[in-house]
Amino acid sequence: MGAPPVPRPALGGPAAPGVRLRDFVGLATRRGVASSGHHNRNYVLPLTEPEARLLGREPGTPVTVRIRRSDVVPVVIRTWDDEDEILGAVEGILPHVPRCLAKGAGFAIHSHVEGVPLSSVCGIGKPVDTLLIKALAGLLAQMAQVRRSALPPLPAGWPRNDTDSQGFLRTLARLADQQIRQSNRAVFGGLFAALGIPEDALVRLAERAPVMARRPYSLLHADLHRDNLIVSCGGTLPLVCVDWELATYGDPLHDLATHLVRMRYPDHQWPEVIDAWEEAMRRVRPAAVNGLAKDLGHYLAFERAQSVFPDVIRAARNLEQSFSAFSQKNLDEATAEVGRALAAAAVPLRLRSVPGAREIEGALFRWLTSRRGGGSGGRGPADPAFGWRQDRRLPLPEDFPEAAVLGALAVEGAAPAGRVFKGTAHLNTVVRVQGVDQPVVVRRRLPEVCRREPRFLSEHAVLRGIEEAPVAVAAPRALALGESYPHDRFVIHTYVGPQDIGRPPNHPVNGLLPHEADGLVDQLCALTRVDCRRLDPLAGERGFYRWITDQLVRLVRELPRKSRQLARRLGLPDAARLDQILSRQEVSHREPSLLHGDLNPWNLVRRDDPYALTIIDWEMALIGDPLYDLVRHMHLTPTRPEIRDRMFSRWERRLPSEYTRDWRNDWQAYRRLEIVRSAYVDLDRIVTGAGLDAPNVRRAVDSYAVTLTVATGALGLPVRFTANPCLARALVQEDQAPAGTGAPAGGRLFSAGR
């Protein structure tokens, strides 16, 4: 049923018709009324007599000159490159669509569709008239009558079965990853990572594509929103679909989903639109409505998931284009736009958490700075927003002057995704700075993070103290401390990962090898020779176990109400009862030393030298019993009995007795304390969702049932886990459509749970 190809003038050589039409295209750019699409700029102007004669039209007839944009960033999925072939195939079914009258290198001349965009008479978010909704549904249904044989050949890898809905959804997700994310990775990959979007998010989305009802494939417009719908001013012509450059061939339910999302109907109109589409499609192709209620939600989920990438890119580019007149207002608008996109994509992409406004704002500003600061360390515009304010508590070392700080900040936002690491409390970006021999890492505290466990020492002071002490401890150097716009504190450390900074650091996530266990013990022993009183003048007070117990009781007392309630239902005692139980235990006094305080595997980086490991992230450092650091490490890291015995034996041999006395009697007290701490802290993370992006938190949460059982047993309390259903309700989170999306009843999103 497709129409025969439309005859067009030959424009390939220096013949007069080609020259004349190219001159007409130049005239269009100077005099025509311009608008922009995804890949084209459109100019409307009347044909002069010579061009009209050449194109077989009346002089004065308006035409649309479409010129391919050279500045386009790939933010859409494209099935075919030649829109004009699609128009030829559609013409016999939808006779009012534009016709391609002529085409040449980088331009095409289309017949002009008289009327105005629907957006100009019915703005975004406003209700659409019922008659228009029925007309729209009719257009979508009519596309099903275009035969595949009339369309251009499909790309390699397209589903072979023309009713495979699951295969089509997987294809869409893979194409979105290839054409949008990967194509923009060099410029925007680090920004995506800073916003918490995993690099494999769309690949995993494709893997989760569910089995769906089979529906016969058809031509899809795939971008039917208010700007691409033309309505006659007099109302004599039907609605006309324009801008077919994103058309594809597949499950017609996908066209309905993209239309619902991109039209931005009010919520109450969604059922009306869906019903109108179903009614129109039943008349044309009844099999196309199979599984409508069950499967529409999957395509809605995909549309919201893939949209996060173009939405972030557009917001960032709009911010960049206003760079010369940078304002907080522009930054606020971009932040809000990105926040909306992340919130919509959170469930289908299974994002562990959605960053708040301050975190988004900081990520966008750093990306913007890098676009103008480049790699030269330039400040960008002459604006104090693009400088930094030093924290004088950490003087700059001679080998890292202020120019190096500015250089690091200038390139931070341009770091590729493989150099951006997001932890429980920090965003870490690895960069190379001109004039500095080794890479450095810019660490920024995530603004919305609430760490239940307190900090007692300043990390920069601890690292500077280790650097200045003659001890064999492999730790980063603290180079700079300060604040950049907008109120975004940072610290710059030496980077201790692989020399190829494109590779991630190697952490002993499955436990230490024997030589690594030896290296860590040697470094913990060396910490006893750091002058604690320079870090804390009150260091050395007796009663460390009682003090650390009080800190745990205080943590439990200050947990949010929901966390405390669930803890009580699961059999964990409240703060007062916990204090009674733990106060029965006493431990011997050992000479205090500097402790790392959080020796989990992700705070240990493997290295190829006698140190074996570099110890990073000293934010929880404290002064206290050296036995505590060793036992806490064994609690946080998978430790085989033979490795545990090896570490204790080496630790005891290498330290004077005042640091190790009575350790065999006391180490189990610290072990019990840490098990109990994990029972409360991990439960709070489950309830609040805090820190779930970090691998150490995910692993702890995944094994919470075991943690709870062991903790209640260690406290001498009955185990209620098997009889109490509350834990299941806390652990299992059911996917729901985001509020206000108007998703139809029954439209579930890929699978339950995150």
Short mmCIF file of all heavy atoms in Angstrom, two decimals, residues 346-389:
data_model
loop_
_atom_site.label_atom_id
_atom_site.label_comp_id
_atom_site.label_asym_id
_atom_site.label_seq_id
_atom_site.Cartn_x
_atom_site.Cartn_y
_atom_site.Cartn_z
N ALA A 346 14.35 6.50 38.09
CA ALA A 346 14.89 5.78 39.24
C ALA A 346 14.39 4.35 39.32
O ALA A 346 15.17 3.41 39.53
CB ALA A 346 14.56 6.54 40.52
N VAL A 347 13.09 4.14 39.17
CA VAL A 347 12.54 2.79 39.30
C VAL A 347 12.92 1.91 38.12
O VAL A 347 13.47 0.82 38.31
CB VAL A 347 11.02 2.85 39.51
CG1 VAL A 347 10.41 1.45 39.41
CG2 VAL A 347 10.70 3.45 40.87
N PRO A 348 12.66 2.31 36.87
CA PRO A 348 13.00 1.40 35.77
C PRO A 348 14.49 1.12 35.63
O PRO A 348 14.87 0.02 35.23
CB PRO A 348 12.45 2.11 34.52
CG PRO A 348 12.25 3.52 34.92
CD PRO A 348 11.93 3.50 36.38
N LEU A 349 15.36 2.08 35.97
CA LEU A 349 16.80 1.84 35.90
C LEU A 349 17.35 1.23 37.19
O LEU A 349 18.53 0.92 37.28
CB LEU A 349 17.55 3.14 35.61
CG LEU A 349 17.50 3.64 34.17
CD1 LEU A 349 18.37 4.88 34.01
CD2 LEU A 349 17.93 2.57 33.18
N ARG A 350 16.47 1.09 38.19
CA ARG A 350 16.86 0.55 39.48
C ARG A 350 18.02 1.32 40.10
O ARG A 350 18.99 0.75 40.61
CB ARG A 350 17.22 -0.93 39.36
CG ARG A 350 16.04 -1.79 38.95
CD ARG A 350 16.34 -3.26 39.03
NE ARG A 350 15.14 -4.05 38.73
CZ ARG A 350 15.09 -5.37 38.72
NH1 ARG A 350 16.19 -6.06 38.99
NH2 ARG A 350 13.98 -6.01 38.43
N LEU A 351 17.93 2.64 40.04
CA LEU A 351 18.93 3.46 40.71
C LEU A 351 18.78 3.27 42.21
O LEU A 351 17.66 3.34 42.74
CB LEU A 351 18.74 4.94 40.33
CG LEU A 351 18.78 5.27 38.84
CD1 LEU A 351 18.62 6.77 38.64
CD2 LEU A 351 20.06 4.78 38.20
N ARG A 352 19.88 3.05 42.89
CA ARG A 352 19.81 2.81 44.33
C ARG A 352 19.32 4.03 45.09
O ARG A 352 18.66 3.92 46.12
CB ARG A 352 21.19 2.41 44.84
CG ARG A 352 21.67 1.05 44.33
CD ARG A 352 21.08 -0.07 45.15
NE ARG A 352 21.57 -1.37 44.71
CZ ARG A 352 21.36 -2.49 45.38
NH1 ARG A 352 20.68 -2.48 46.50
NH2 ARG A 352 21.82 -3.63 44.92
N SER A 353 19.67 5.20 44.59
CA SER A 353 19.22 6.42 45.23
C SER A 353 19.23 7.52 44.18
O SER A 353 19.92 7.42 43.16
CB SER A 353 20.13 6.81 46.41
OG SER A 353 21.46 7.01 45.95
N VAL A 354 18.46 8.57 44.43
CA VAL A 354 18.40 9.71 43.53
C VAL A 354 19.07 10.88 44.24
O VAL A 354 18.67 11.25 45.35
CB VAL A 354 16.94 10.06 43.17
CG1 VAL A 354 16.89 11.33 42.32
CG2 VAL A 354 16.30 8.90 42.43
N PRO A 355 20.10 11.47 43.65
CA PRO A 355 20.78 12.58 44.32
C PRO A 355 19.85 13.76 44.52
O PRO A 355 18.94 14.00 43.71
CB PRO A 355 21.92 12.93 43.36
CG PRO A 355 21.53 12.36 42.04
CD PRO A 355 20.69 11.16 42.34
N GLY A 356 20.08 14.50 45.59
CA GLY A 356 19.30 15.69 45.87
C GLY A 356 19.77 16.88 45.06
O GLY A 356 20.74 16.81 44.29
N ALA A 357 19.08 18.00 45.24
CA ALA A 357 19.35 19.19 44.43
C ALA A 357 20.79 19.68 44.58
O ALA A 357 21.43 20.06 43.60
CB ALA A 357 18.36 20.29 44.80
N ARG A 358 21.32 19.68 45.80
CA ARG A 358 22.68 20.19 46.00
C ARG A 358 23.71 19.33 45.28
O ARG A 358 24.67 19.84 44.69
CB ARG A 358 23.00 20.26 47.49
CG ARG A 358 22.38 21.44 48.23
CD ARG A 358 22.86 21.48 49.67
NE ARG A 358 24.31 21.57 49.75
CZ ARG A 358 25.02 21.23 50.82
NH1 ARG A 358 24.40 20.75 51.90
NH2 ARG A 358 26.33 21.35 50.83
N GLU A 359 23.52 18.03 45.32
CA GLU A 359 24.46 17.13 44.65
C GLU A 359 24.39 17.29 43.13
O GLU A 359 25.42 17.32 42.45
CB GLU A 359 24.15 15.68 45.05
CG GLU A 359 25.18 14.69 44.57
CD GLU A 359 24.90 13.28 45.09
OE1 GLU A 359 24.18 13.15 46.11
OE2 GLU A 359 25.38 12.32 44.47
N ILE A 360 23.17 17.41 42.60
CA ILE A 360 23.00 17.62 41.16
C ILE A 360 23.62 18.95 40.75
O ILE A 360 24.32 19.06 39.74
CB ILE A 360 21.51 17.57 40.78
CG1 ILE A 360 20.93 16.18 41.06
CG2 ILE A 360 21.30 17.96 39.32
CD1 ILE A 360 19.42 16.11 40.92
N GLU A 361 23.35 19.98 41.54
CA GLU A 361 23.87 21.31 41.25
C GLU A 361 25.40 21.29 41.17
O GLU A 361 26.01 21.85 40.24
CB GLU A 361 23.40 22.28 42.33
CG GLU A 361 23.92 23.70 42.18
CD GLU A 361 23.54 24.57 43.36
OE1 GLU A 361 23.68 24.10 44.51
OE2 GLU A 361 23.10 25.70 43.15
N GLY A 362 26.04 20.65 42.14
CA GLY A 362 27.49 20.58 42.15
C GLY A 362 28.04 19.84 40.94
O GLY A 362 29.02 20.26 40.33
N ALA A 363 27.41 18.71 40.58
CA ALA A 363 27.87 17.93 39.43
C ALA A 363 27.76 18.73 38.14
O ALA A 363 28.67 18.73 37.30
CB ALA A 363 27.08 16.63 39.33
N LEU A 364 26.64 19.44 37.96
CA LEU A 364 26.46 20.24 36.76
C LEU A 364 27.46 21.39 36.71
O LEU A 364 28.03 21.69 35.65
CB LEU A 364 25.03 20.79 36.72
CG LEU A 364 23.92 19.81 36.34
CD1 LEU A 364 22.55 20.44 36.57
CD2 LEU A 364 24.06 19.36 34.89
N PHE A 365 27.69 22.04 37.83
CA PHE A 365 28.61 23.17 37.83
C PHE A 365 30.03 22.72 37.51
O PHE A 365 30.76 23.39 36.77
CB PHE A 365 28.56 23.90 39.16
CG PHE A 365 29.44 25.12 39.18
CD1 PHE A 365 29.01 26.31 38.62
CD2 PHE A 365 30.72 25.07 39.73
CE1 PHE A 365 29.83 27.43 38.61
CE2 PHE A 365 31.54 26.18 39.72
CZ PHE A 365 31.09 27.36 39.16
N ARG A 366 30.44 21.59 38.06
CA ARG A 366 31.80 21.10 37.78
C ARG A 366 31.93 20.72 36.31
O ARG A 366 32.98 20.96 35.70
CB ARG A 366 32.12 19.91 38.69
CG ARG A 366 32.23 20.30 40.17
CD ARG A 366 32.78 19.16 41.00
NE ARG A 366 31.91 18.00 41.05
CZ ARG A 366 30.92 17.84 41.90
NH1 ARG A 366 30.65 18.79 42.78
NH2 ARG A 366 30.19 16.74 41.91
N TRP A 367 30.89 20.12 35.74
CA TRP A 367 30.94 19.80 34.31
C TRP A 367 31.05 21.09 33.50
O TRP A 367 31.82 21.17 32.55
CB TRP A 367 29.68 19.02 33.93
CG TRP A 367 29.63 18.65 32.47
CD1 TRP A 367 30.16 17.53 31.90
CD2 TRP A 367 29.05 19.41 31.41
NE1 TRP A 367 29.94 17.55 30.54
CE2 TRP A 367 29.26 18.69 30.21
CE3 TRP A 367 28.38 20.62 31.35
CZ2 TRP A 367 28.82 19.14 28.97
CZ3 TRP A 367 27.93 21.09 30.11
CH2 TRP A 367 28.15 20.35 28.94
N LEU A 368 30.27 22.10 33.89
CA LEU A 368 30.30 23.38 33.17
C LEU A 368 31.69 24.01 33.26
O LEU A 368 32.24 24.49 32.26
CB LEU A 368 29.26 24.32 33.78
CG LEU A 368 29.22 25.74 33.22
CD1 LEU A 368 28.81 25.74 31.76
CD2 LEU A 368 28.26 26.61 34.04
N THR A 369 32.29 23.99 34.44
CA THR A 369 33.62 24.55 34.61
C THR A 369 34.63 23.86 33.71
O THR A 369 35.48 24.50 33.08
CB THR A 369 34.06 24.42 36.08
OG1 THR A 369 33.13 25.11 36.92
CG2 THR A 369 35.45 25.00 36.30
N SER A 370 34.53 22.55 33.62
CA SER A 370 35.49 21.80 32.80
C SER A 370 35.34 22.10 31.32
O SER A 370 36.31 22.03 30.56
CB SER A 370 35.31 20.29 33.02
OG SER A 370 34.11 19.82 32.43
N ARG A 371 34.13 22.46 30.88
CA ARG A 371 33.91 22.74 29.47
C ARG A 371 34.61 24.03 29.06
O ARG A 371 35.00 24.19 27.90
CB ARG A 371 32.42 22.86 29.17
CG ARG A 371 31.64 21.59 29.38
CD ARG A 371 32.10 20.49 28.48
NE ARG A 371 31.73 20.74 27.09
CZ ARG A 371 32.17 20.05 26.07
NH1 ARG A 371 33.03 19.08 26.26
NH2 ARG A 371 31.77 20.33 24.84
N ARG A 372 34.77 24.96 29.98
CA ARG A 372 35.43 26.23 29.65
C ARG A 372 36.84 26.31 30.23
O ARG A 372 37.68 26.99 29.70
CB ARG A 372 34.61 27.42 30.16
CG ARG A 372 33.27 27.55 29.48
CD ARG A 372 33.41 27.59 27.98
NE ARG A 372 32.16 27.90 27.33
CZ ARG A 372 31.91 27.73 26.03
NH1 ARG A 372 32.84 27.21 25.26
NH2 ARG A 372 30.75 28.05 25.51
N GLY A 373 37.08 25.59 31.34
CA GLY A 373 38.41 25.64 31.94
C GLY A 373 39.41 24.80 31.19
O GLY A 373 40.59 25.05 31.22
N GLY A 374 38.90 23.72 30.50
CA GLY A 374 39.78 22.85 29.74
C GLY A 374 40.82 22.19 30.62
O GLY A 374 40.66 22.04 31.81
N GLY A 375 41.89 21.80 30.03
CA GLY A 375 42.96 21.14 30.78
C GLY A 375 44.06 22.08 31.19
O GLY A 375 45.09 21.66 31.69
N SER A 376 43.90 23.36 30.97
CA SER A 376 44.98 24.30 31.22
C SER A 376 44.95 24.89 32.61
O SER A 376 45.82 25.66 32.98
CB SER A 376 44.89 25.44 30.19
OG SER A 376 43.67 26.15 30.35
N GLY A 377 43.92 24.56 33.36
CA GLY A 377 43.83 25.14 34.69
C GLY A 377 43.22 26.51 34.69
O GLY A 377 43.28 27.22 35.68
N GLY A 378 42.58 26.90 33.58
CA GLY A 378 41.96 28.21 33.53
C GLY A 378 40.75 28.30 34.42
O GLY A 378 40.12 27.31 34.73
N ARG A 379 40.41 29.50 34.83
CA ARG A 379 39.30 29.70 35.75
C ARG A 379 37.97 29.82 35.03
O ARG A 379 36.94 29.85 35.67
CB ARG A 379 39.51 30.97 36.57
CG ARG A 379 40.64 30.90 37.59
CD ARG A 379 40.83 32.27 38.20
NE ARG A 379 41.89 32.28 39.17
CZ ARG A 379 41.69 32.31 40.49
NH1 ARG A 379 40.47 32.29 40.95
NH2 ARG A 379 42.69 32.35 41.32
N GLY A 380 37.95 29.94 33.71
CA GLY A 380 36.71 30.24 33.04
C GLY A 380 36.49 31.73 33.06
O GLY A 380 37.43 32.52 33.02
N PRO A 381 35.23 32.19 33.14
CA PRO A 381 34.96 33.62 33.14
C PRO A 381 35.57 34.30 34.36
O PRO A 381 35.87 33.68 35.36
CB PRO A 381 33.42 33.68 33.19
CG PRO A 381 32.97 32.34 32.79
CD PRO A 381 34.01 31.38 33.20
N ALA A 382 35.72 35.61 34.26
CA ALA A 382 36.25 36.38 35.39
C ALA A 382 35.15 36.52 36.43
O ALA A 382 34.51 37.55 36.57
CB ALA A 382 36.72 37.74 34.92
N ASP A 383 34.91 35.46 37.14
CA ASP A 383 33.80 35.40 38.09
C ASP A 383 34.31 34.63 39.30
O ASP A 383 34.89 33.55 39.15
CB ASP A 383 32.60 34.69 37.45
CG ASP A 383 31.36 34.75 38.32
OD1 ASP A 383 31.48 34.52 39.54
OD2 ASP A 383 30.27 34.99 37.78
N PRO A 384 34.11 35.14 40.51
CA PRO A 384 34.59 34.42 41.68
C PRO A 384 33.99 33.02 41.82
O PRO A 384 34.54 32.17 42.52
CB PRO A 384 34.17 35.32 42.86
CG PRO A 384 33.12 36.23 42.30
CD PRO A 384 33.46 36.41 40.87
N ALA A 385 32.86 32.76 41.13
CA ALA A 385 32.26 31.44 41.20
C ALA A 385 33.20 30.37 40.66
O ALA A 385 33.07 29.20 41.01
CB ALA A 385 30.94 31.42 40.41
N PHE A 386 34.14 30.76 39.80
CA PHE A 386 34.99 29.77 39.16
C PHE A 386 36.37 29.70 39.81
O PHE A 386 37.31 29.18 39.23
CB PHE A 386 35.10 30.08 37.66
CG PHE A 386 33.78 29.91 36.96
CD1 PHE A 386 32.88 30.95 36.91
CD2 PHE A 386 33.44 28.70 36.39
CE1 PHE A 386 31.65 30.79 36.29
CE2 PHE A 386 32.22 28.53 35.76
CZ PHE A 386 31.32 29.58 35.70
N GLY A 387 36.50 30.19 41.03
CA GLY A 387 37.73 30.05 41.78
C GLY A 387 37.54 29.06 42.91
O GLY A 387 36.73 28.14 42.83
N TRP A 388 38.30 29.23 44.00
CA TRP A 388 38.14 28.37 45.17
C TRP A 388 38.59 29.15 46.39
O TRP A 388 39.28 30.17 46.30
CB TRP A 388 38.96 27.09 45.01
CG TRP A 388 40.44 27.25 45.21
CD1 TRP A 388 41.30 28.00 44.46
CD2 TRP A 388 41.23 26.64 46.24
NE1 TRP A 388 42.57 27.91 44.95
CE2 TRP A 388 42.57 27.07 46.03
CE3 TRP A 388 40.96 25.78 47.30
CZ2 TRP A 388 43.62 26.67 46.85
CZ3 TRP A 388 42.00 25.37 48.11
CH2 TRP A 388 43.31 25.81 47.90
N ARG A 389 38.17 28.69 47.55
CA ARG A 389 38.56 29.32 48.81
C ARG A 389 39.29 28.28 49.64
O ARG A 389 38.72 27.23 49.98
CB ARG A 389 37.33 29.84 49.55
CG ARG A 389 37.72 30.65 50.80
CD ARG A 389 36.52 31.36 51.41
NE ARG A 389 35.55 30.42 51.94
CZ ARG A 389 34.24 30.47 51.69
NH1 ARG A 389 33.76 31.41 50.90
NH2 ARG A 389 33.41 29.59 52.21
#
